[in-house]
Amino acid sequence: MFKKFTLVILPLIIIFSFLLNSYNIDFPIGYHIDEIKKIFFIENNQQDFHFPILMLQVVRFLNISLKLIAKQDIAVLGRYSTAFFGSLIIFILYFISRLGLNRRYSLLVCLGCAVSPIMVMHSHYLKEDIILTFFTMCSLFCFFRYLKNRNRLSIILLGISTGLAFSSHYKSLLLIPIYLVSPILISKSIKEDIRFFIKLLAAFIIAFIVFLIINYPLVFDFGNFIKGISFELRHIFRGHTLKRYPLDDFFLFHFKNSIIPGITIPVAILGVLFISCSLLKWRKTVWQDKILIFYTFVFYFAVELTLCKPFPGYIRYVIALTPVLIYFAFKAIFLINTSLSFYGKKYLTSFLVVVLIGIPLIMTIKLDYYLGKDTRETAEKYFEEFSYRPEYETYAAANWDMRRVVDKSIEEHRKSNVTHLVASNFQYERYLIGGKLKNQNPEVYSRRKAYAELSKYPYIEIKPAYKS
């Protein structure tokens, strides 16, 4: 009976996830600057290989039959594909959760992931992070299967899933040290079994073949492929517009600014609590959780130790951690319910479940709703009522006029008969923040000064009704 219940509830959670992921998904191209290049690549069958091209190939494949031409239509198609992969994460997360939880708690983990603000919001955009997360979760599940049963099917499944992860984002290469170190974490016998590594090598060969099949254009444009990888490596080590050094935040930048806002404080606290307790009782921790904890540390510190924390989009760097952290949070409640004995335990665990589902859900619904009430639309309507000539910077409108309004002086704007400048906090806040940090590029300080001077002129501030 309970299995039948699961067969009904899990699909409903997945459908609910897709509805949240795809609500208000038809916003104009240009609201997210990175989408413009992606759509151009999809249209023209091109790529710069700054990222592997699985996401582009998926949208191209979907458009073979649809034959969409308009850029906006292609953008929406791509966003729907991202929303779909976001929902599929729920499906694979259920099977990962079942390795350490019963069916009821596994379904709660799925629901918690479905309503997670960071997952839902980033499932709205044509970006690689969601598809990376899905295939990373698939790879982890297939790796668990491989550890239990190293037969031919397990090797093939691990190779295919890992190859798809490699084809989603270069960050997925972090799976390699996880695969190699995991035997040391869980079993002396596996660690000493040379056949484990030989068969793992076979899985890597399959993964490489899958990567080549999907990214086959690199064979004909290998120089551009090397340039793309080199660009991303420089990006990682040199930083973005702002350079955020790990010690500036005591290795807590992404925890404070990405994880807590992305999954909410209660989920983050309980997730960290479970990790802490597991580390203290490492010998009693089940081997699957040991690997997931190691995965969390690897993927967290890989982004925390780099200088690349680009404002305002740094939060997406921790998306691959989100499903695992949500699992940890509900595992903490599960252990309270099963391991401890005290009066009111039932009420406490019920309350925690409501909090872990309710708070993220409320936040996500608000974010979804106000996604259709963008301040950029408000600004454009304001100028439609008057015979003004505005000039927009990046992020201030779907179609902007220049990268930054401070790149030209007020006198130069006036000579062009511009009456109003429209700036975005996605631009000026990065320089207002960066100007207070040490060891930044000189232009960060000069642009901070320029925006500060600009703010001395009369202005109207259009604030979002809920977050940004």
Side-chain angles (χ1 to χ4, degrees), residues 168-358:
S168 306
H169 200 292
Y170 297 126
K171 193 186 299 179
S172 60
L173 291 170
L174 293 171
L175 288 169
I176 295 175
I178 293 169
Y179 292 169
L180 295 176
V181 173
S182 290
I184 300 174
L185 298 174
I186 64 174
S187 174
K188 185 178 179 181
S189 61
I190 295 179
K191 180 179 67 174
E192 296 174 350
D193 186 359
I194 189 65
R195 290 173 298 178
F196 170 87
F197 296 100
I198 293 174
K199 292 179 179 180
L200 187 60
L201 177 61
F204 282 138
I205 293 172
I206 294 171
F208 179 70
I209 293 170
V210 171
F211 179 84
L212 280 181
I213 291 172
I214 294 170
N215 295 270
Y216 70 88
L218 71 84
V219 176
F220 308 103
D221 195 7
F222 192 72
N224 199 29
F225 172 67
I226 295 300
K227 285 181 181 178
I229 293 178
S230 300
F231 175 86
E232 284 305 306
L233 286 174
R234 289 194 301 271
H235 203 192
I236 290 170
F237 293 108
R238 294 180 182 178
H240 203 263
T241 306
L242 306 184
K243 296 179 181 179
R244 198 77 182 216
Y245 296 88
L247 287 176
D248 290 345
D249 301 275
F250 301 102
F251 306 102
L252 293 173
F253 176 86
H254 278 296
F255 182 75
K256 295 185 298 183
N257 299 292
S258 303
I259 291 175
I260 287 179
I263 63 177
T264 71
I265 292 176
V267 180
I269 290 175
L270 279 173
V272 170
L273 180 64
F274 173 79
I275 293 174
S276 302
C277 292
S278 297
L279 291 174
L280 291 173
K281 298 182 178 181
W282 188 251
R283 290 184 178 181
K284 294 183 178 180
T285 302
V286 297
W287 63 268
Q288 291 94 339
D289 288 347
K290 288 180 179 180
I291 294 175
L292 291 175
I293 290 170
F294 183 58
Y295 165 87
T296 301
F297 281 120
V298 170
F299 271 74
Y300 177 81
F301 284 103
V303 296
E304 185 66 28
L305 291 172
T306 68
L307 300 182
C308 189
K309 301 177 178 70
F311 186 91
Y314 49 75
I315 192 171
R316 62 188 170 84
Y317 283 24
V318 300
I319 292 175
L321 296 173
T322 299
V324 176
L325 289 173
I326 292 170
Y327 163 76
F328 287 159
F330 282 95
K331 186 69 179 284
I333 300 176
F334 174 77
L335 291 177
I336 292 172
N337 191 40
T338 56
S339 303
L340 302 179
S341 180
F342 59 90
Y343 178 76
K345 178 181 69 174
K346 180 180 179 181
Y347 298 104
L348 175 61
T349 53
S350 298
F351 171 76
L352 290 174
V353 167
V354 171
V355 168
L356 262 60
I357 298 294

Side-chain angles (χ1 to χ4, degrees), residues 9-290:
I9 297 300
L10 182 58
L12 288 177
I13 295 174
I14 294 171
I15 293 170
F16 180 55
S17 169
F18 182 76
L19 293 175
L20 287 175
N21 293 347
S22 58
Y23 184 74
N24 272 333
I25 207 168
D26 58 346
F27 51 86
I29 302 171
Y31 278 9
H32 196 310
I33 186 173
D34 290 351
E35 285 190 326
I36 297 172
K37 183 172 70 170
K38 311 289 185 187
I39 295 163
F40 174 81
F41 286 159
I42 292 167
E43 281 184 303
N44 298 281
N45 200 29
Q46 296 180 19
Q47 46 273 315
D48 59 10
F49 291 107
H50 289 182
F51 298 101
I53 63 172
L54 176 58
M55 183 186 72
L56 303 180
Q57 300 286 55
V58 168
V59 183
R60 287 167 182 161
F61 176 78
L62 294 174
N63 203 32
I64 289 174
S65 57
L66 295 174
K67 301 185 186 304
L68 300 176
I69 298 174
K71 293 181 184 295
Q72 180 66 28
D73 292 339
I74 295 172
V76 173
L77 174 64
R79 293 169 191 162
Y80 271 117
S81 71
T82 306
F84 177 71
F85 278 108
S87 301
L88 285 183
I89 291 171
I90 308 301
F91 178 74
I92 195 66
L93 184 59
Y94 174 79
F95 294 101
I96 292 175
S97 300
R98 282 291 290 122
L99 298 173
L101 293 171
N102 61 31
R103 288 187 177 88
R104 290 184 183 275
Y105 272 89
S106 296
L107 289 172
L108 287 173
V109 172
C110 293
L111 183 57
C113 188
V115 302
S116 180
I118 187 173
M119 298 299 296
V120 174
M121 282 299 98
H122 287 86
S123 292
H124 280 72
Y125 294 97
L126 186 58
K127 289 286 292 178
E128 292 85 358
D129 306 281
I130 292 295
I131 195 170
L132 161 71
T133 302
F134 171 68
F135 285 113
T136 301
M137 292 296 104
C138 288
S139 299
L140 283 174
F141 180 72
C142 290
F143 184 58
F144 291 156
R145 188 184 195 280
Y146 173 76
L147 285 167
K148 291 179 69 175
N149 188 0
R150 295 188 293 280
N151 57 20
R152 186 175 299 175
L153 179 60
S154 295
I155 296 170
I156 293 171
L157 290 175
L158 179 60
I160 292 173
S161 60
T162 304
L164 290 168
F166 290 169
S167 301
S168 306
H169 200 292
Y170 297 126
K171 193 186 299 179
S172 60
L173 291 170
L174 293 171
L175 288 169
I176 295 175
I178 293 169
Y179 292 169
L180 295 176
V181 173
S182 290
I184 300 174
L185 298 174
I186 64 174
S187 174
K188 185 178 179 181
S189 61
I190 295 179
K191 180 179 67 174
E192 296 174 350
D193 186 359
I194 189 65
R195 290 173 298 178
F196 170 87
F197 296 100
I198 293 174
K199 292 179 179 180
L200 187 60
L201 177 61
F204 282 138
I205 293 172
I206 294 171
F208 179 70
I209 293 170
V210 171
F211 179 84
L212 280 181
I213 291 172
I214 294 170
N215 295 270
Y216 70 88
L218 71 84
V219 176
F220 308 103
D221 195 7
F222 192 72
N224 199 29
F225 172 67
I226 295 300
K227 285 181 181 178
I229 293 178
S230 300
F231 175 86
E232 284 305 306
L233 286 174
R234 289 194 301 271
H235 203 192
I236 290 170
F237 293 108
R238 294 180 182 178
H240 203 263
T241 306
L242 306 184
K243 296 179 181 179
R244 198 77 182 216
Y245 296 88
L247 287 176
D248 290 345
D249 301 275
F250 301 102
F251 306 102
L252 293 173
F253 176 86
H254 278 296
F255 182 75
K256 295 185 298 183
N257 299 292
S258 303
I259 291 175
I260 287 179
I263 63 177
T264 71
I265 292 176
V267 180
I269 290 175
L270 279 173
V272 170
L273 180 64
F274 173 79
I275 293 174
S276 302
C277 292
S278 297
L279 291 174
L280 291 173
K281 298 182 178 181
W282 188 251
R283 290 184 178 181
K284 294 183 178 180
T285 302
V286 297
W287 63 268
Q288 291 94 339
D289 288 347
K290 288 180 179 180

